Amino acid sequence: MVVANLRARIRGLESISGQVSWFPSAGRADSWSERTTQDFGTRREILSKNMKKNRERLCSREREFVYKFKVGSQCLELRVPLRFPVQENASHLHGRLMLLHSLPCFIEKDLKEALTQFIEEESLRDYDRDAEASLEAVKSGEVDLHQLASTWAKAYAETTLEHARPEEPSWDEDFADVYHDLIHSPASETLLNLEHNYFVSISELIGERDVELKKLRERQGIEMEKVMQELGKSLTDQDVNSLAAQHFESQQDLENKWSNELKQSTAIQKQEYQEWVIKLHQDLKNPNNSSLSEEIKVQPSQFRESVEAIGRIYEEQRKLEESFTIHLGAQLKTMHNLRLLRADMLDFCKHKRNHRSGVKLHRLQTALSLYSTSLCGLVLLVDNRINSYSGIKRDFATVCQECTDFHFPRIEEQLEVVQQVVLYARTQRRTKLKESLDSGNQNGGNDDKTKNAERNYLNVLPGEFYITRHSNLSEIHVAFHLCVDDHVKSGNITARDPAIMGLRNILKVCCTHDITTISIPLLLVHDMSEEMTIPWCLRRAELVFKCVKGFMMEMASWDGGISRTVQFLVPQSISEEMFYQLSNMLPQIFRVSSTLTLTSKH
């Protein structure tokens, strides 16, 4: 019984590797064996080194499959060398034999049965030999019995559900559940009020930082001007360089001081907020708690104070907007909402110090859908460096820093994680590319590709994007940072351009991760320049409209046809005339739902 159980377990957990090759019985082995030999071997874990040696000695051998059949009065014989253990599926092997040898169809069924039976019998003999060898190794002391038992026990415990350890509760998941319950309760207004008060506090701190930095720069500018006046008289270039270095060091020290203070303040706010949310949720479960009504009481005086507070208030510019309802699909039609807006991308991220009802409703909608299947995303066009030091990346990071994120890591921490992931992925790709180029260089070489791989080693490539998550932005949960280069400013990009393919991949991520609203820069630029003429804008808008339409039609196969909202944004500097030309173009490309007007005969 012990031997039978051990044999059964070895058969079930057998790790094997090998090759399968087959040859005709006469004459043609050299001509076709090279194109039919396949490497079907895969390495897996084995029980011990000794068992591996036994398996190689007993099982890695070649056996000949012989099949005899008659065609008319002729007796033919098919001989196929098979290397055991066989990894190839018997049905696949049978089909290739029939095709490569041009065997008659009337032996197809019988050949398959004979081949399957041969493989099963020979494999069973190998398993039996392996089991016997393993038992002999245990009896002779060649294998440590205790080590073998512990290996079996560990493998069984790791692969059996009843022995699996229960998952430890995650603080982030628990807090998300608690927040989701509270934001859909009467306490939602209290949560938003507290978040807004924290936002005002951080905004005032940032305002103080900006004022102090401005005063420092003004003072340094006056000092540098005096030194430049004395240059060549009592002072030299070395004195100027020394003063400039001192000014730079002073600015760095001041910025680091404020950065640490902001980081500490946001950390304290996040801890206080999460603890208060947990306490409030526990109090809500106790209906006899008399202090509950005071905890969720609205305090409008704080809003009046925030309105009157002196700070940076974003100026609202006049927005142009057109909305369309479209249907896509031939048989199964899906309705989508399209919006064309003239607005700044960051307008969907910025909070307003003036806590008016409209702004509050936007924030409430964002909070309600934070842990839902209706997320909102935004596409930002960035360069190939993963940081927040320049351009729209710096502006976006500034907006993120103005309000504490109570659910996700800070933008700097998320970018650090992205850098590590990109570094690992690029290392893997570089290794594979180098291997392929090494083989290619033997036949002619591709030095340009090697140089490009080295140059782009630590950066993302055009068309690639990385994602950051946010709970502290006005109307956005997810930001897609799409890498583009200066080529997007030219007028000759096609539907296969990396930026366009990046949009397709972004829409696919939206389908697979419940992002139902996505904002896209229609012209693939955030700011207008001189070369972007009216014909240029029309060509670019037409290309993006048509490509996005095709991608949205693909969505039906990705997500089953869920209604979505796509917002096309154009820069604020574009003229009203150009905006309405783009608005007239959209219904010509998409199938816009038409209204029916019913009139009476009388």
Side-chain angles (χ1 to χ4, degrees), residues 313-355:
I313 301 178
Y314 294 109
E315 298 181 357
E316 294 186 3
Q317 299 187 10
R318 179 172 177 261
K319 293 183 180 179
L320 295 177
E321 178 180 340
E322 291 283 349
S323 299
F324 305 88
T325 301
I326 65 168
H327 288 89
L328 293 178
Q331 296 179 349
L332 180 62
K333 296 184 182 299
T334 305
M335 184 178 70
H336 302 278
N337 297 317
L338 302 183
R339 298 176 66 196
L340 179 64
L341 298 94
R342 187 182 71 173
D344 188 354
M345 273 288 182
L346 298 182
D347 288 345
F348 296 93
C349 307
K350 298 175 182 176
H351 286 282
K352 306 299 188 298
R353 290 282 298 275
N354 188 352
H355 201 297

mmCIF file of all heavy atoms in Angstrom, residues 313-355:
data_model
loop_
_atom_site.group_PDB
_atom_site.id
_atom_site.type_symbol
_atom_site.label_atom_id
_atom_site.label_comp_id
_atom_site.label_asym_id
_atom_site.label_seq_id
_atom_site.Cartn_x
_atom_site.Cartn_y
_atom_site.Cartn_z
ATOM 1 N N ILE A 313 -6.693 82.213 -5.081
ATOM 2 C CA ILE A 313 -7.981 81.787 -5.609
ATOM 3 C C ILE A 313 -7.837 81.692 -7.119
ATOM 4 O O ILE A 313 -7.467 82.654 -7.784
ATOM 5 C CB ILE A 313 -9.094 82.785 -5.231
ATOM 6 C CG1 ILE A 313 -9.196 82.900 -3.707
ATOM 7 C CG2 ILE A 313 -10.420 82.350 -5.815
ATOM 8 C CD1 ILE A 313 -10.224 83.902 -3.252
ATOM 9 N N TYR A 314 -8.128 80.535 -7.659
ATOM 10 C CA TYR A 314 -7.993 80.328 -9.087
ATOM 11 C C TYR A 314 -9.083 81.100 -9.818
ATOM 12 O O TYR A 314 -10.262 81.018 -9.486
ATOM 13 C CB TYR A 314 -8.124 78.840 -9.428
ATOM 14 C CG TYR A 314 -7.015 78.026 -8.875
ATOM 15 C CD1 TYR A 314 -7.236 77.156 -7.810
ATOM 16 C CD2 TYR A 314 -5.726 78.114 -9.391
ATOM 17 C CE1 TYR A 314 -6.214 76.411 -7.271
ATOM 18 C CE2 TYR A 314 -4.702 77.368 -8.872
ATOM 19 C CZ TYR A 314 -4.951 76.517 -7.820
ATOM 20 O OH TYR A 314 -3.933 75.773 -7.295
ATOM 21 N N GLU A 315 -8.685 81.846 -10.805
ATOM 22 C CA GLU A 315 -9.638 82.617 -11.589
ATOM 23 C C GLU A 315 -10.333 81.709 -12.592
ATOM 24 O O GLU A 315 -9.704 80.952 -13.305
ATOM 25 C CB GLU A 315 -8.918 83.742 -12.327
ATOM 26 C CG GLU A 315 -8.238 84.747 -11.398
ATOM 27 C CD GLU A 315 -7.559 85.839 -12.192
ATOM 28 O OE1 GLU A 315 -7.585 85.742 -13.447
ATOM 29 O OE2 GLU A 315 -7.026 86.770 -11.587
ATOM 30 N N GLU A 316 -11.634 81.815 -12.610
ATOM 31 C CA GLU A 316 -12.415 81.009 -13.536
ATOM 32 C C GLU A 316 -12.533 81.737 -14.871
ATOM 33 O O GLU A 316 -12.976 82.868 -14.935
ATOM 34 C CB GLU A 316 -13.811 80.745 -12.964
ATOM 35 C CG GLU A 316 -13.788 79.892 -11.719
ATOM 36 C CD GLU A 316 -15.197 79.546 -11.280
ATOM 37 O OE1 GLU A 316 -16.142 79.946 -12.001
ATOM 38 O OE2 GLU A 316 -15.348 78.897 -10.241
ATOM 39 N N GLN A 317 -12.131 81.112 -15.880
ATOM 40 C CA GLN A 317 -12.261 81.678 -17.212
ATOM 41 C C GLN A 317 -13.503 81.102 -17.882
ATOM 42 O O GLN A 317 -13.994 80.049 -17.520
ATOM 43 C CB GLN A 317 -11.021 81.343 -18.047
ATOM 44 C CG GLN A 317 -9.737 81.911 -17.440
ATOM 45 C CD GLN A 317 -8.566 81.713 -18.373
ATOM 46 O OE1 GLN A 317 -8.736 81.326 -19.526
ATOM 47 N NE2 GLN A 317 -7.376 81.980 -17.884
ATOM 48 N N ARG A 318 -13.969 81.838 -18.821
ATOM 49 C CA ARG A 318 -15.188 81.439 -19.507
ATOM 50 C C ARG A 318 -14.937 80.157 -20.290
ATOM 51 O O ARG A 318 -14.009 80.068 -21.082
ATOM 52 C CB ARG A 318 -15.643 82.546 -20.447
ATOM 53 C CG ARG A 318 -16.905 82.191 -21.220
ATOM 54 C CD ARG A 318 -17.412 83.401 -21.983
ATOM 55 N NE ARG A 318 -18.569 83.030 -22.773
ATOM 56 C CZ ARG A 318 -18.524 82.756 -24.070
ATOM 57 N NH1 ARG A 318 -17.376 82.801 -24.703
ATOM 58 N NH2 ARG A 318 -19.621 82.445 -24.737
ATOM 59 N N LYS A 319 -15.771 79.159 -20.059
ATOM 60 C CA LYS A 319 -15.621 77.886 -20.726
ATOM 61 C C LYS A 319 -16.645 77.774 -21.837
ATOM 62 O O LYS A 319 -17.793 78.187 -21.693
ATOM 63 C CB LYS A 319 -15.824 76.734 -19.739
ATOM 64 C CG LYS A 319 -14.750 76.622 -18.671
ATOM 65 C CD LYS A 319 -15.007 75.416 -17.785
ATOM 66 C CE LYS A 319 -13.934 75.284 -16.716
ATOM 67 N NZ LYS A 319 -14.185 74.124 -15.824
ATOM 68 N N LEU A 320 -16.207 77.193 -22.940
ATOM 69 C CA LEU A 320 -17.122 76.836 -24.027
ATOM 70 C C LEU A 320 -17.345 75.336 -23.964
ATOM 71 O O LEU A 320 -16.401 74.566 -23.753
ATOM 72 C CB LEU A 320 -16.529 77.239 -25.376
ATOM 73 C CG LEU A 320 -16.338 78.742 -25.614
ATOM 74 C CD1 LEU A 320 -15.680 78.973 -26.954
ATOM 75 C CD2 LEU A 320 -17.665 79.476 -25.543
ATOM 76 N N GLU A 321 -18.580 74.925 -24.159
ATOM 77 C CA GLU A 321 -18.897 73.514 -24.002
ATOM 78 C C GLU A 321 -20.019 73.116 -24.942
ATOM 79 O O GLU A 321 -20.988 73.850 -25.115
ATOM 80 C CB GLU A 321 -19.312 73.223 -22.552
ATOM 81 C CG GLU A 321 -19.710 71.788 -22.301
ATOM 82 C CD GLU A 321 -20.113 71.564 -20.859
ATOM 83 O OE1 GLU A 321 -19.737 72.386 -20.000
ATOM 84 O OE2 GLU A 321 -20.809 70.553 -20.600
ATOM 85 N N GLU A 322 -19.865 71.934 -25.552
ATOM 86 C CA GLU A 322 -20.907 71.333 -26.380
ATOM 87 C C GLU A 322 -21.026 69.865 -25.985
ATOM 88 O O GLU A 322 -20.022 69.177 -25.792
ATOM 89 C CB GLU A 322 -20.558 71.442 -27.872
ATOM 90 C CG GLU A 322 -20.607 72.858 -28.440
ATOM 91 C CD GLU A 322 -22.030 73.331 -28.687
ATOM 92 O OE1 GLU A 322 -22.964 72.501 -28.621
ATOM 93 O OE2 GLU A 322 -22.214 74.532 -28.944
ATOM 94 N N SER A 323 -22.254 69.387 -25.853
ATOM 95 C CA SER A 323 -22.503 68.007 -25.452
ATOM 96 C C SER A 323 -23.260 67.266 -26.540
ATOM 97 O O SER A 323 -24.126 67.847 -27.212
ATOM 98 C CB SER A 323 -23.295 67.958 -24.139
ATOM 99 O OG SER A 323 -22.571 68.576 -23.090
ATOM 100 N N PHE A 324 -22.923 65.988 -26.696
ATOM 101 C CA PHE A 324 -23.547 65.162 -27.722
ATOM 102 C C PHE A 324 -23.848 63.787 -27.134
ATOM 103 O O PHE A 324 -23.102 63.281 -26.283
ATOM 104 C CB PHE A 324 -22.635 64.987 -28.945
ATOM 105 C CG PHE A 324 -22.175 66.286 -29.554
ATOM 106 C CD1 PHE A 324 -21.020 66.912 -29.089
ATOM 107 C CD2 PHE A 324 -22.889 66.872 -30.579
ATOM 108 C CE1 PHE A 324 -20.591 68.097 -29.651
ATOM 109 C CE2 PHE A 324 -22.459 68.063 -31.148
ATOM 110 C CZ PHE A 324 -21.307 68.680 -30.676
ATOM 111 N N THR A 325 -24.914 63.188 -27.604
ATOM 112 C CA THR A 325 -25.240 61.801 -27.287
ATOM 113 C C THR A 325 -25.149 60.999 -28.571
ATOM 114 O O THR A 325 -25.797 61.333 -29.570
ATOM 115 C CB THR A 325 -26.647 61.675 -26.686
ATOM 116 O OG1 THR A 325 -26.713 62.458 -25.491
ATOM 117 C CG2 THR A 325 -26.964 60.226 -26.353
ATOM 118 N N ILE A 326 -24.345 59.950 -28.560
ATOM 119 C CA ILE A 326 -24.084 59.188 -29.776
ATOM 120 C C ILE A 326 -24.416 57.726 -29.542
ATOM 121 O O ILE A 326 -24.550 57.264 -28.404
ATOM 122 C CB ILE A 326 -22.608 59.319 -30.215
ATOM 123 C CG1 ILE A 326 -21.693 58.676 -29.177
ATOM 124 C CG2 ILE A 326 -22.235 60.764 -30.444
ATOM 125 C CD1 ILE A 326 -20.270 58.486 -29.646
ATOM 126 N N HIS A 327 -24.576 57.003 -30.653
ATOM 127 C CA HIS A 327 -24.774 55.546 -30.622
ATOM 128 C C HIS A 327 -23.706 54.908 -31.503
ATOM 129 O O HIS A 327 -23.487 55.353 -32.640
ATOM 130 C CB HIS A 327 -26.168 55.160 -31.118
ATOM 131 C CG HIS A 327 -27.262 55.502 -30.154
ATOM 132 N ND1 HIS A 327 -27.897 56.729 -30.176
ATOM 133 C CD2 HIS A 327 -27.817 54.793 -29.150
ATOM 134 C CE1 HIS A 327 -28.813 56.752 -29.219
ATOM 135 N NE2 HIS A 327 -28.787 55.599 -28.579
ATOM 136 N N LEU A 328 -23.044 53.910 -30.985
ATOM 137 C CA LEU A 328 -22.008 53.189 -31.724
ATOM 138 C C LEU A 328 -22.372 51.713 -31.788
ATOM 139 O O LEU A 328 -22.953 51.160 -30.857
ATOM 140 C CB LEU A 328 -20.640 53.345 -31.046
ATOM 141 C CG LEU A 328 -20.025 54.751 -31.054
ATOM 142 C CD1 LEU A 328 -18.711 54.747 -30.301
ATOM 143 C CD2 LEU A 328 -19.830 55.258 -32.471
ATOM 144 N N GLY A 329 -22.006 51.094 -32.892
ATOM 145 C CA GLY A 329 -22.287 49.673 -33.079
ATOM 146 C C GLY A 329 -23.300 49.459 -34.185
ATOM 147 O O GLY A 329 -24.172 50.293 -34.436
ATOM 148 N N ALA A 330 -23.172 48.314 -34.861
ATOM 149 C CA ALA A 330 -24.076 48.001 -35.968
ATOM 150 C C ALA A 330 -25.345 47.323 -35.467
ATOM 151 O O ALA A 330 -26.449 47.831 -35.648
ATOM 152 C CB ALA A 330 -23.359 47.103 -36.980
ATOM 153 N N GLN A 331 -25.203 46.199 -34.808
ATOM 154 C CA GLN A 331 -26.368 45.471 -34.297
ATOM 155 C C GLN A 331 -26.635 45.809 -32.837
ATOM 156 O O GLN A 331 -27.725 46.229 -32.489
ATOM 157 C CB GLN A 331 -26.141 43.963 -34.469
ATOM 158 C CG GLN A 331 -26.024 43.531 -35.930
ATOM 159 C CD GLN A 331 -25.776 42.050 -36.068
ATOM 160 O OE1 GLN A 331 -25.493 41.367 -35.090
ATOM 161 N NE2 GLN A 331 -25.869 41.545 -37.283
ATOM 162 N N LEU A 332 -25.609 45.631 -31.988
ATOM 163 C CA LEU A 332 -25.757 45.983 -30.583
ATOM 164 C C LEU A 332 -25.260 47.403 -30.392
ATOM 165 O O LEU A 332 -24.062 47.650 -30.313
ATOM 166 C CB LEU A 332 -24.959 45.008 -29.704
ATOM 167 C CG LEU A 332 -25.019 45.251 -28.195
ATOM 168 C CD1 LEU A 332 -26.454 45.122 -27.692
ATOM 169 C CD2 LEU A 332 -24.100 44.303 -27.451
ATOM 170 N N LYS A 333 -26.171 48.348 -30.340
ATOM 171 C CA LYS A 333 -25.811 49.754 -30.231
ATOM 172 C C LYS A 333 -25.580 50.121 -28.769
ATOM 173 O O LYS A 333 -26.301 49.691 -27.874
ATOM 174 C CB LYS A 333 -26.910 50.636 -30.828
ATOM 175 C CG LYS A 333 -27.116 50.425 -32.326
ATOM 176 C CD LYS A 333 -28.148 51.396 -32.860
ATOM 177 C CE LYS A 333 -28.399 51.157 -34.344
ATOM 178 N NZ LYS A 333 -27.186 51.351 -35.151
ATOM 179 N N THR A 334 -24.562 50.930 -28.564
ATOM 180 C CA THR A 334 -24.226 51.417 -27.230
ATOM 181 C C THR A 334 -24.257 52.932 -27.239
ATOM 182 O O THR A 334 -23.705 53.566 -28.139
ATOM 183 C CB THR A 334 -22.835 50.937 -26.808
ATOM 184 O OG1 THR A 334 -22.772 49.509 -26.916
ATOM 185 C CG2 THR A 334 -22.539 51.338 -25.378
ATOM 186 N N MET A 335 -24.893 53.497 -26.242
ATOM 187 C CA MET A 335 -25.001 54.951 -26.159
ATOM 188 C C MET A 335 -23.855 55.505 -25.320
ATOM 189 O O MET A 335 -23.523 54.963 -24.263
ATOM 190 C CB MET A 335 -26.345 55.348 -25.527
ATOM 191 C CG MET A 335 -26.585 56.849 -25.501
ATOM 192 S SD MET A 335 -28.189 57.289 -24.799
ATOM 193 C CE MET A 335 -27.914 56.855 -23.089
ATOM 194 N N HIS A 336 -23.247 56.570 -25.798
ATOM 195 C CA HIS A 336 -22.163 57.245 -25.099
ATOM 196 C C HIS A 336 -22.428 58.747 -25.100
ATOM 197 O O HIS A 336 -23.153 59.266 -25.957
ATOM 198 C CB HIS A 336 -20.811 56.970 -25.761
ATOM 199 C CG HIS A 336 -20.451 55.515 -25.838
ATOM 200 N ND1 HIS A 336 -19.895 54.830 -24.782
ATOM 201 C CD2 HIS A 336 -20.586 54.614 -26.844
ATOM 202 C CE1 HIS A 336 -19.692 53.571 -25.137
ATOM 203 N NE2 HIS A 336 -20.102 53.420 -26.388
ATOM 204 N N ASN A 337 -21.815 59.422 -24.161
ATOM 205 C CA ASN A 337 -21.896 60.877 -24.077
ATOM 206 C C ASN A 337 -20.549 61.467 -24.447
ATOM 207 O O ASN A 337 -19.508 61.038 -23.931
ATOM 208 C CB ASN A 337 -22.288 61.316 -22.664
ATOM 209 C CG ASN A 337 -23.669 60.829 -22.264
ATOM 210 O OD1 ASN A 337 -24.600 60.884 -23.062
ATOM 211 N ND2 ASN A 337 -23.805 60.345 -21.039
ATOM 212 N N LEU A 338 -20.571 62.444 -25.336
ATOM 213 C CA LEU A 338 -19.363 63.153 -25.739
ATOM 214 C C LEU A 338 -19.502 64.619 -25.362
ATOM 215 O O LEU A 338 -20.576 65.208 -25.506
ATOM 216 C CB LEU A 338 -19.123 63.027 -27.246
ATOM 217 C CG LEU A 338 -18.978 61.612 -27.826
ATOM 218 C CD1 LEU A 338 -18.682 61.700 -29.317
ATOM 219 C CD2 LEU A 338 -17.885 60.836 -27.111
ATOM 220 N N ARG A 339 -18.404 65.192 -24.901
ATOM 221 C CA ARG A 339 -18.393 66.621 -24.560
ATOM 222 C C ARG A 339 -17.161 67.247 -25.189
ATOM 223 O O ARG A 339 -16.058 66.682 -25.133
ATOM 224 C CB ARG A 339 -18.380 66.834 -23.052
ATOM 225 C CG ARG A 339 -19.593 66.292 -22.321
ATOM 226 C CD ARG A 339 -19.436 66.475 -20.820
ATOM 227 N NE ARG A 339 -19.435 67.883 -20.455
ATOM 228 C CZ ARG A 339 -19.004 68.341 -19.275
ATOM 229 N NH1 ARG A 339 -18.494 67.501 -18.397
ATOM 230 N NH2 ARG A 339 -19.055 69.629 -19.003
ATOM 231 N N LEU A 340 -17.338 68.403 -25.765
ATOM 232 C CA LEU A 340 -16.238 69.194 -26.303
ATOM 233 C C LEU A 340 -16.135 70.455 -25.458
ATOM 234 O O LEU A 340 -17.102 71.220 -25.357
ATOM 235 C CB LEU A 340 -16.496 69.536 -27.770
ATOM 236 C CG LEU A 340 -15.432 70.390 -28.463
ATOM 237 C CD1 LEU A 340 -14.095 69.640 -28.548
ATOM 238 C CD2 LEU A 340 -15.888 70.794 -29.860
ATOM 239 N N LEU A 341 -14.969 70.671 -24.846
ATOM 240 C CA LEU A 341 -14.806 71.787 -23.926
ATOM 241 C C LEU A 341 -13.567 72.579 -24.257
ATOM 242 O O LEU A 341 -12.541 72.021 -24.684
ATOM 243 C CB LEU A 341 -14.687 71.302 -22.477
ATOM 244 C CG LEU A 341 -15.845 70.548 -21.848
ATOM 245 C CD1 LEU A 341 -15.641 69.054 -21.999
ATOM 246 C CD2 LEU A 341 -15.970 70.898 -20.377
ATOM 247 N N ARG A 342 -13.654 73.868 -24.052
ATOM 248 C CA ARG A 342 -12.475 74.731 -24.082
ATOM 249 C C ARG A 342 -12.129 75.046 -22.632
ATOM 250 O O ARG A 342 -12.775 75.887 -21.988
ATOM 251 C CB ARG A 342 -12.748 76.018 -24.857
ATOM 252 C CG ARG A 342 -11.484 76.862 -25.056
ATOM 253 C CD ARG A 342 -11.758 78.155 -25.781
ATOM 254 N NE ARG A 342 -12.500 79.105 -24.949
ATOM 255 C CZ ARG A 342 -12.747 80.362 -25.314
ATOM 256 N NH1 ARG A 342 -12.354 80.789 -26.500
ATOM 257 N NH2 ARG A 342 -13.426 81.170 -24.518
ATOM 258 N N ALA A 343 -11.136 74.344 -22.130
ATOM 259 C CA ALA A 343 -10.803 74.478 -20.711
ATOM 260 C C ALA A 343 -9.385 73.996 -20.467
ATOM 261 O O ALA A 343 -8.778 73.322 -21.315
ATOM 262 C CB ALA A 343 -11.788 73.673 -19.861
ATOM 263 N N ASP A 344 -8.867 74.345 -19.315
ATOM 264 C CA ASP A 344 -7.559 73.869 -18.894
ATOM 265 C C ASP A 344 -7.717 72.486 -18.284
ATOM 266 O O ASP A 344 -8.670 72.213 -17.555
ATOM 267 C CB ASP A 344 -6.973 74.838 -17.873
ATOM 268 C CG ASP A 344 -5.521 74.517 -17.527
ATOM 269 O OD1 ASP A 344 -5.034 73.469 -18.001
ATOM 270 O OD2 ASP A 344 -4.897 75.290 -16.792
ATOM 271 N N MET A 345 -6.774 71.592 -18.585
ATOM 272 C CA MET A 345 -6.833 70.248 -18.040
ATOM 273 C C MET A 345 -6.877 70.249 -16.516
ATOM 274 O O MET A 345 -7.599 69.466 -15.890
ATOM 275 C CB MET A 345 -5.613 69.442 -18.507
ATOM 276 C CG MET A 345 -5.793 68.752 -19.843
ATOM 277 S SD MET A 345 -6.913 67.355 -19.719
ATOM 278 C CE MET A 345 -6.869 66.752 -21.386
ATOM 279 N N LEU A 346 -6.116 71.137 -15.903
ATOM 280 C CA LEU A 346 -6.020 71.142 -14.452
ATOM 281 C C LEU A 346 -7.250 71.722 -13.783
ATOM 282 O O LEU A 346 -7.360 71.655 -12.552
ATOM 283 C CB LEU A 346 -4.770 71.911 -14.011
ATOM 284 C CG LEU A 346 -3.439 71.316 -14.490
ATOM 285 C CD1 LEU A 346 -2.274 72.123 -13.956
ATOM 286 C CD2 LEU A 346 -3.305 69.866 -14.073
ATOM 287 N N ASP A 347 -8.178 72.293 -14.565
ATOM 288 C CA ASP A 347 -9.426 72.780 -13.966
ATOM 289 C C ASP A 347 -10.227 71.643 -13.354
ATOM 290 O O ASP A 347 -11.027 71.854 -12.437
ATOM 291 C CB ASP A 347 -10.273 73.514 -15.012
ATOM 292 C CG ASP A 347 -9.686 74.858 -15.385
ATOM 293 O OD1 ASP A 347 -8.809 75.343 -14.638
ATOM 294 O OD2 ASP A 347 -10.084 75.423 -16.417
ATOM 295 N N PHE A 348 -10.034 70.427 -13.860
ATOM 296 C CA PHE A 348 -10.754 69.282 -13.309
ATOM 297 C C PHE A 348 -10.086 68.751 -12.047
ATOM 298 O O PHE A 348 -10.616 67.833 -11.411
ATOM 299 C CB PHE A 348 -10.827 68.159 -14.341
ATOM 300 C CG PHE A 348 -11.618 68.520 -15.559
ATOM 301 C CD1 PHE A 348 -11.004 69.043 -16.689
ATOM 302 C CD2 PHE A 348 -12.992 68.344 -15.588
ATOM 303 C CE1 PHE A 348 -11.737 69.372 -17.818
ATOM 304 C CE2 PHE A 348 -13.734 68.675 -16.697
ATOM 305 C CZ PHE A 348 -13.108 69.193 -17.820
ATOM 306 N N CYS A 349 -8.936 69.309 -11.702
ATOM 307 C CA CYS A 349 -8.198 68.851 -10.526
ATOM 308 C C CYS A 349 -8.221 69.858 -9.381
ATOM 309 O O CYS A 349 -8.118 69.466 -8.214
ATOM 310 C CB CYS A 349 -6.742 68.571 -10.902
ATOM 311 S SG CYS A 349 -6.521 67.458 -12.310
ATOM 312 N N LYS A 350 -8.352 71.130 -9.700
ATOM 313 C CA LYS A 350 -8.191 72.172 -8.686
ATOM 314 C C LYS A 350 -9.418 72.286 -7.789
ATOM 315 O O LYS A 350 -10.550 72.200 -8.253
ATOM 316 C CB LYS A 350 -7.938 73.517 -9.363
ATOM 317 C CG LYS A 350 -6.667 73.572 -10.191
ATOM 318 C CD LYS A 350 -6.554 74.882 -10.931
ATOM 319 C CE LYS A 350 -5.303 74.931 -11.794
ATOM 320 N NZ LYS A 350 -5.225 76.175 -12.595
ATOM 321 N N HIS A 351 -9.140 72.483 -6.510
ATOM 322 C CA HIS A 351 -10.183 72.821 -5.554
ATOM 323 C C HIS A 351 -10.307 74.343 -5.488
ATOM 324 O O HIS A 351 -9.346 75.074 -5.738
ATOM 325 C CB HIS A 351 -9.851 72.286 -4.158
ATOM 326 C CG HIS A 351 -10.034 70.807 -4.043
ATOM 327 N ND1 HIS A 351 -11.264 70.217 -3.903
ATOM 328 C CD2 HIS A 351 -9.132 69.793 -4.052
ATOM 329 C CE1 HIS A 351 -11.120 68.910 -3.825
ATOM 330 N NE2 HIS A 351 -9.841 68.622 -3.927
ATOM 331 N N LYS A 352 -11.476 74.799 -5.123
ATOM 332 C CA LYS A 352 -11.716 76.234 -4.973
ATOM 333 C C LYS A 352 -11.795 76.579 -3.495
ATOM 334 O O LYS A 352 -12.471 75.893 -2.725
ATOM 335 C CB LYS A 352 -13.026 76.629 -5.675
ATOM 336 C CG LYS A 352 -13.093 76.200 -7.134
ATOM 337 C CD LYS A 352 -11.997 76.826 -7.958
ATOM 338 C CE LYS A 352 -12.195 76.532 -9.448
ATOM 339 N NZ LYS A 352 -12.156 75.104 -9.761
ATOM 340 N N ARG A 353 -11.104 77.626 -3.118
ATOM 341 C CA ARG A 353 -11.202 78.070 -1.732
ATOM 342 C C ARG A 353 -12.615 78.533 -1.413
ATOM 343 O O ARG A 353 -13.096 78.407 -0.291
ATOM 344 C CB ARG A 353 -10.228 79.227 -1.495
ATOM 345 C CG ARG A 353 -8.775 78.840 -1.519
ATOM 346 C CD ARG A 353 -8.375 78.172 -0.224
ATOM 347 N NE ARG A 353 -8.534 79.064 0.905
ATOM 348 C CZ ARG A 353 -7.631 79.952 1.295
ATOM 349 N NH1 ARG A 353 -6.491 80.051 0.643
ATOM 350 N NH2 ARG A 353 -7.838 80.706 2.348
ATOM 351 N N ASN A 354 -13.300 79.083 -2.411
ATOM 352 C CA ASN A 354 -14.671 79.545 -2.227
ATOM 353 C C ASN A 354 -15.594 78.333 -2.290
ATOM 354 O O ASN A 354 -15.868 77.811 -3.356
ATOM 355 C CB ASN A 354 -15.035 80.562 -3.321
ATOM 356 C CG ASN A 354 -16.381 81.212 -3.074
ATOM 357 O OD1 ASN A 354 -17.118 80.817 -2.184
ATOM 358 N ND2 ASN A 354 -16.685 82.216 -3.863
ATOM 359 N N HIS A 355 -16.091 77.889 -1.138
ATOM 360 C CA HIS A 355 -16.835 76.628 -1.045
ATOM 361 C C HIS A 355 -18.298 76.890 -1.382
ATOM 362 O O HIS A 355 -19.183 76.884 -0.521
ATOM 363 C CB HIS A 355 -16.691 76.067 0.366
ATOM 364 C CG HIS A 355 -16.963 74.606 0.458
ATOM 365 N ND1 HIS A 355 -18.179 74.043 0.171
ATOM 366 C CD2 HIS A 355 -16.151 73.572 0.782
ATOM 367 C CE1 HIS A 355 -18.129 72.755 0.351
ATOM 368 N NE2 HIS A 355 -16.902 72.436 0.723
#
